[in-house]
Amino acid sequence: MRIALLVLAGIGAIVVLTGVVLPVLGWLIGSLAWVAAGALLIGGGIWAYRRLSGSQTPSLGSGPNGRQLP
């Protein structure tokens, strides 16, 4: 009886893993890929605009030309 219970619990775990966990994980990774692609697209557009317009506005970096917070 105990072996049958363990077999049923194992089958249930496999069903939950393949039916719930893996699809949710795939959805999260897919969403993260779209967010990363959007961030690269927006960041690249800002970079290209600044480069083509000759804008000399300082960045928020910590280099010698970066803005210093009070």
Side-chain angles (χ1 to χ4, degrees):
M1 185 69 176
R2 186 169 184 204
I3 293 175
L5 194 63
L6 288 174
V7 168
L8 287 175
I11 291 172
I14 290 172
V15 167
V16 168
L17 181 68
T18 58
V20 176
V21 175
L22 291 179
V24 169
L25 191 61
W27 181 81
L28 288 174
I29 291 173
S31 299
L32 183 62
W34 280 106
V35 168
L40 286 172
L41 184 68
I42 291 169
I46 292 171
W47 173 81
Y49 172 77
R50 285 188 174 177
R51 184 167 185 213
L52 292 176
S53 70
S55 175
Q56 296 296 324
T57 57
S59 66
L60 294 175
S62 61
N65 294 333
R67 296 180 186 161
Q68 298 296 322
L69 296 175

